[in-house]
Amino acid sequence: LHQLFVLQDLGRNGLLEERELVLLNRKIAIAHYGEDINKEELTMKYQELFRTRLAESDEQRAVPYARFRCYMLDVLDELDSDRDAQ
């Protein structure tokens, strides 16, 4: 998980910023679906994800590794609660 965090920390400041999460997921979506995707819709989707699942307050726009790790473990648990299978 730490390696994934480091790869997403584009600013190399030890924080995953909302703009980094949005940018990376937009690029992934473009790679999968092409340039014709609704970029504004994707921006709103990932801003909402960051603000509701990662940020601990309405004003927070960057999270440290510890918060990212908790979020990712929650996501994995939602997908499959069997830790050995993860």
Side-chain angles (χ1 to χ4, degrees), residues 17-56:
E17 299 172 25
E18 179 182 285
R19 66 175 185 77
E20 293 169 332
L21 180 77
V22 170
L23 177 65
L24 289 167
N25 280 285
R26 281 179 56 167
K27 288 189 177 290
I28 290 168
I30 290 169
H32 281 261
Y33 305 109
E35 289 286 337
D36 294 334
I37 60 166
N38 185 330
K39 294 174 185 91
E40 184 61 33
E41 187 176 297
L42 281 171
T43 296
M44 290 174 25
K45 175 182 177 177
Y46 288 102
Q47 282 177 334
E48 177 73 12
L49 181 140
F50 186 92
R51 294 172 186 180
T52 59
R53 301 287 307 268
L54 282 159
E56 294 176 322

